[in-house]
Amino acid sequence: DRAETVNAVGRVVSLPQASDGRQRFLLRPESVAGVSRGLPRRSRISLYADEPAIGAGERWELPLRLRRPRGFMNPVRFDYEQWLASEHIDATAYVTEPDQARRLAPGRGLVAWRAWMAAHLSELAATPGPGAALLRGLVVGDRRGFSETTCDVLQATGTSHLMAISGLHIGLVAGFGYWLGRWLWALARLPGERRLTASLIGVGAALGYAAMAGFALPTQ
């Protein structure tokens, strides 16, 4: 709590969450207080303001107050510190002066593409209700639109695990890609073995879907 404010430069590597005047996102630091070595792999940042709006994949300079990741040890409660470690988050921080934050570069990379895809799916959805949120969750692993009611329903019905893109989803996509590869091999009369072509397309489909989900831990 007595840590000093330092200027950090880094890139946003998650889909930012915004609610009730607070934004949360993961930052991959490039430098902290002018130092570029021995930095946290990722930092979980809180910004207690609606502006400036943080976008996925953007590069920012932020005045931060860094803290070591810590949480209460309780065998029957959620282990926050262990969760941070599993997500490769080595520090937590909050922006001390939001008006001094500077956007250095626009969004780019995989996470920016996932944010664009999530927004595109929202535009294509017929309604902004839970159906659109579930679609974004299944396609790009974006759970930001889940309301408390939706989470309660998923938990009560025992279907929460279906929203965590993991082996079940990857296997289904890989299987679809495999059979699509067999069909394309026969249709286009491609050279080589039919099984090899189908397997390559199946692996490519699985990798593509894992990338859409951000290569989250259950996906890996």
Side-chain angles (χ1 to χ4, degrees):
D1 293 335
R2 297 180 179 178
E4 297 181 354
T5 298
V6 295
N7 280 338
V9 174
R11 191 171 293 276
V12 179
V13 292
S14 69
L15 300 176
Q17 299 177 338
S19 64
D20 300 327
R22 180 177 67 179
Q23 302 179 66
R24 277 187 173 177
F25 54 95
L26 297 181
L27 186 78
R28 185 178 64 234
E30 298 173 4
S31 67
V32 176
V35 178
S36 57
R37 303 181 66 179
L39 301 178
R41 289 171 294 180
R42 300 201 293 181
S43 300
R44 194 180 194 212
I45 312 297
S46 295
L47 194 160
Y48 296 95
D50 293 321
E51 296 292 337
I54 306 296
E58 295 177 344
R59 189 168 177 264
W60 282 84
E61 180 180 359
L62 303 167
L64 300 178
R65 188 159 293 179
L66 292 164
R67 297 172 177 172
R68 288 184 177 181
R70 61 179 183 268
F72 294 108
M73 296 185 64
N74 191 321
V76 297
R77 298 291 298 275
F78 175 68
D79 192 333
Y80 179 63
E81 192 169 339
Q82 184 180 35
W83 177 80
L84 291 174
S86 69
E87 296 292 322
H88 300 160
I89 299 172
D90 298 327
T92 60
Y94 66 92
V95 180
T96 56
E97 300 291 341
D99 58 337
Q100 294 183 12
R102 292 194 307 132
R103 181 186 288 107
L104 302 178
R108 65 174 179 84
L110 176 61
V111 68
W113 179 80
R114 291 179 62 217
W116 175 85
M117 179 65 73
H120 187 59
L121 289 173
S122 297
E123 294 175 359
L124 293 177
T127 65
L134 291 172
L135 180 62
R136 294 195 301 271
L138 286 171
V139 175
V140 295
D142 180 10
R143 304 183 63 169
R144 294 176 296 175
F146 285 20
S147 64
E148 291 186 8
T149 301
T150 301
C151 293
D152 291 341
V153 170
L154 291 173
Q155 186 174 5
T157 56
T159 54
S160 298
H161 64 284
L162 295 178
M163 291 296 106
I165 299 176
S166 57
L168 172 64
H169 306 80
I170 300 299
L172 289 172
V173 171
F176 175 77
Y178 179 85
W179 289 108
L180 178 63
R182 290 177 62 89
W183 179 76
L184 289 176
W185 183 90
L187 181 66
R189 298 182 179 179
L190 298 175
E193 294 186 7
R194 185 175 191 176
R195 181 180 299 177
L196 177 60
T197 300
S199 297
L200 290 175
I201 293 179
V203 170
L207 286 174
Y209 188 44
M212 290 175 65
F215 290 109
L217 189 59
T219 307
Q220 296 179 42

